[in-house]
Each structure stands twice: as structure tokens, then as C-alpha cells.
Amino acid sequence: MLPHLLPSRRDFSGDDLIFTLNAAAQRRAAAGASVINATVGALLDDAGKLVVLDSVMQQWRQLTPMEVAPYAPIAGDPAFLLALTQRHWPSLTSHGIGVATPGGSGALALTLRNLLERGNALVTAAPYWGPYATIAAEGGVRIATVPYPAPGEALDVGAWEQAMRDVLDEQGRLLLWLNDPCHNPTGRSLTRADRETLLSVLRDIASQGPVTLLLDLAYLDYARDPQAVTEALEDYAAFGAEGSVLVGASLSLSKAFTLYGSRAGALVFPWATDKALHAALVTSCRGTWSNCARAPMSVLTRLTKDADAQAALAAEHAHWRTVLTERAEALDAALRAEGLPGAAWDGGFFVTLAAADPQKVTERLQERDVFVVPIPEGLRVGICGMRAADAARFAAAYKASL
């Protein structure tokens, strides 16, 4: 091993678990095996091909050289930031304080650099998206978890409040990453009652010190009930406008536009006006990735000026929302037919299934050419990559592997 590498940077495998398992599934499929690949975090059709939204790619193909080649502003194109913010909160006339980021991951990383000290704790619900741990570690912070509500159960407000107050007492500031609606990896959303309870707690504990609520919004276009998403966003907007808590959002085009490889997103604080916050975020951008890609920004700004393209995109989202709903319902029914608890799902690409020993169950499933991602709380199952027709086989394999 090179002595030049810092000792603290020598114990990494360099592999990402999700991508490693996906590669293993693809190798088995290439060898002729009948594989159920529920590892991938991208939307696949029933033939196993990556879904690419036609309405988006039509805009991409029309881009001119000047919409692709020049440097974008370090903070991002203001028209892009406004358009992306308005996809979530259409009534807003400003994105507030915000910067373009390389996908949602870049937005999350910026919050750690600017809103927490190294050694501080970040609060989020468990289970959580695995790369949260990597992003936190690279930012020099640790993760303190609160329990995500089980299906049919209310949010454990006592546990959430105690954990957040403990963090505030210890470090004098609080950053909560909240992946809601369409939580990854459970595929569920907080009820309106749970959301109101949580916001009330945040409002109360903000008297102890600065509190930031960062909404991680990646899968909203693929919710079973779009109206429920609209209601959730309205609730968060009303809360953000109060000003007692700094409310921001990690926004991304990766899933919404199936532009995974373009790495386009933003960190926005739509109800903030603080110039120091803006300057800090821009400085962080310059010191890490500098400028984000202009092309995906141009695609979004083009699309917002084309009513026909917007209608076509909405129709595609509605179609794939229906497909995901059918897959989730087929899996739920198949699990129940095996005498197992079902798989509750409100939206997004995943569901989480119980497993006493997730790693062992994952390995047993692989022996049956079924691939999932083990997480501490069970198994992350990507319905985004499964066919509804595979639900019965999956459920039988899962039961046999427990």
C-alpha cells in the first residue's frame, strides 16, 4: 500500500454495495439465469431495459451548442433553480437561496459542510438510503437515527423529540434529513397527522437553537397518490414560510427526468433570503465541483416553456406511476398469499421487507437468482426493476430464505 495515502483513508473497499449486487445480478443474467434483479435504483421496463422518458429526450436532442458548452454560473442558472423549485411549489415566484448541485447527493453534502461542524451529529430516520452513511462520513459527521413509523403505526413522537433535543443539547444546532414523501427504502410516506406532529415538535425545539429541516425529495413523480404529495409539499411550504425553522430541499432530475447520468439537482431554501447563506453555498460549490453541467439545466428550462412537452411528461409519469403501483400491489398480494406480511407502499422505487439476518437472507435469495440489497432493518427491494409477473416467484423465494 502506498505510504502517501493517509492512514485514515486505507481501510475502504472502494465498492458500493448496491452497484456490486447489481453487477452480480447482471453477470448471472448474462450467463443465462432467470434473474429477478431488485437491487437497482433506476426504473426498468418489463423487459429489463432502462426507462428513458421520451418527452425529456426530445428536449435534450433540441439543445443548441450554447445550451450545452458554456460554463454555467457557479450557483447554477437562476432560471433552472426557479423552474426546479416550481416543479415542487408552483406558487413560489423565487427559489429563495439555492445552488445547482450534481444530483441530490451533492445537495445533501452541501448541508453538512455549511450547517454542521465536523464531529456533529446529523439526524435522520432509520432505515435510510445507504449512501447517507458515506456522505456523512465524508463530511466528518455521524448519524443519529430516529425510527421510521411501521406500517399502520403512528410516528413515535417521543423518540423523535428526545433524539432531536439530545442532539441540540450536545451541539447547539440540529440538521434533520427527512426523506418524505416516498421514503427510500420503505416506499411509504408520513401521514398528514404524523407530519403535523413532527412539525409541531420542530417548531417547539427551535427555541433551543438553530434547527434546519432538509427535505430529500427524489421520487415524488412516482407516488401512488399525487394529491397526497401535493398536500405534503403544501404543509412543508407553510411551515417553511413561518421562519422558525430553516426549511430546505434537496431536488434532483435523476429520477424525475430519468437523467441519472447527467447529475443535475439543486439545494434550495425557498423561504430564506440570507445573503451569507448564499455566499457560503456558492463558495462550497466552487471548492468542490465548481460548476454543474449546463445541458440538463437547459433541458428543464426548455421544457417549462413548452406546454405540449409538459403534458407529454405528465402522461409518461402517470404511466410509470401506474406500473409501479401494479408491481407494488402484485408483490403485496403474493407475500400475503405465502402467509407473510404484505408490502405497504405509497410511492417511489422501493419497499422494505423484514429479515432477522438480512445478509444471510440475501445470500439465500441469491442462490435462487433473486437479488436484493441487505440493510440493517431488513431487505431493500427495488420494485422499480421487478415485473409484476415476478411477484409470486419472489415471494416464494423470500419465504424459503427466511
Side-chain angles (χ1 to χ4, degrees):
M1 183 178 293
L2 285 172
H4 311 72
L5 187 63
L6 289 172
S8 61
R9 304 296 295 178
R10 294 178 183 176
D11 294 326
F12 300 108
S13 69
D15 296 321
D16 178 271
L17 176 62
I18 297 170
F19 283 86
T20 298
L21 290 169
N22 181 44
Q26 291 180 336
R27 284 195 298 272
R28 284 292 296 153
S34 176
V35 168
I36 297 178
N37 184 0
T39 67
V40 66
L43 184 58
L44 307 182
D45 64 18
D46 281 355
K49 291 178 58 179
L50 182 71
V51 171
V52 179
L53 298 176
D54 292 337
S55 57
V56 173
M57 296 314 298
Q58 286 176 11
Q59 298 297 314
W60 190 285
R61 287 189 289 268
Q62 294 174 30
L63 294 179
T64 67
M66 296 307 291
E67 291 176 295
V68 176
Y71 281 120
I74 293 172
D77 180 355
F80 163 78
L81 293 170
L82 177 59
L84 188 53
T85 302
Q86 288 179 329
R87 287 200 78 242
H88 300 78
W89 293 284
S91 65
L92 292 181
T93 58
S94 168
H95 67 267
I97 300 298
V99 292
T101 61
S105 299
L108 295 168
L110 281 192
T111 66
L112 302 184
R113 181 166 295 192
N114 290 280
L115 301 172
L116 291 179
E117 300 283 359
R118 294 185 73 84
N120 280 177
L122 152 78
V123 178
T124 197
Y128 55 76
W129 180 48
Y132 273 10
T134 304
I135 295 168
E138 288 296 293
V141 307
R142 66 189 191 280
I143 295 180
T145 60
V146 289
Y148 196 81
E153 294 186 4
L155 181 139
D156 186 344
V157 61
W160 282 59
E161 181 171 3
Q162 187 62 57
M164 292 189 293
R165 286 194 185 277
D166 287 347
V167 168
L168 262 173
D169 286 342
E170 178 185 347
Q171 62 196 39
R173 59 181 54 244
L174 172 70
L175 172 61
L176 171 64
W177 281 357
L178 184 64
N179 184 197
D180 177 72
C182 305
H183 177 254
N184 172 5
T186 68
R188 291 182 283 112
S189 302
L190 296 182
T191 65
R192 199 161 203 181
D194 282 345
R195 193 180 313 119
E196 290 172 355
T197 298
L198 173 59
L199 297 184
S200 178
V201 169
L202 290 173
R203 188 182 293 114
D204 186 45
I205 66 176
S207 61
Q208 288 183 237
V211 173
T212 303
L213 170 63
L214 192 283
L215 303 169
D216 183 3
L217 306 176
Y219 298 94
L220 305 192
D221 296 286
Y222 305 99
R224 182 197 297 269
D225 181 2
Q227 182 57 36
V229 170
T230 298
E231 289 177 355
L233 293 178
E234 289 173 349
D235 289 346
Y236 290 129
F239 184 64
E242 291 178 13
S244 60
V245 169
L246 178 63
V247 178
S250 164
L251 309 177
S252 173
L253 292 185
S254 294
K255 279 76 177 180
F257 278 25
T258 61
L259 289 177
Y260 311 97
S262 73
R263 306 309 302 136
L267 171 62
V268 298
F269 296 90
W271 304 278
T273 58
D274 189 277
K275 293 181 179 178
L277 176 60
H278 181 258
L281 295 178
V282 172
T283 300
S284 288
C285 292
R286 186 55 163 167
T288 49
W289 52 77
S290 194
N291 315 70
C292 288
R294 182 179 285 276
M297 296 188 208
S298 299
V299 168
L300 177 58
T301 54
R302 263 182 172 269
L303 194 140
T304 59
K305 301 172 185 176
D306 187 333
D308 290 340
Q310 291 176 53
L313 176 61
E316 288 188 278
H317 280 149
H319 168 73
W320 290 109
R321 192 160 55 237
T322 298
V323 170
L324 285 165
T325 299
E326 291 171 349
R327 292 175 180 179
E329 291 177 348
L331 180 59
D332 181 70
L335 291 168
R336 293 181 186 279
E338 292 286 348
L340 300 168
W345 179 85
D346 294 316
F349 284 3
F350 311 101
V351 298
T352 296
L353 300 181
D357 188 334
Q359 186 59 43
K360 245 183 194 133
V361 174
T362 298
E363 292 169 359
R364 291 170 185 156
L365 282 168
Q366 288 179 17
E367 293 171 2
R368 294 168 170 82
D369 286 321
V370 176
F371 291 78
V372 298
V373 177
I375 59 176
E377 298 78 10
L379 308 176
R380 189 188 86 160
V381 181
I383 61 171
C384 54
M386 285 178 57
R387 301 179 305 161
D390 288 331
R393 177 185 160 202
F394 180 95
Y398 169 59
K399 182 176 182 179
S401 300
L402 292 174

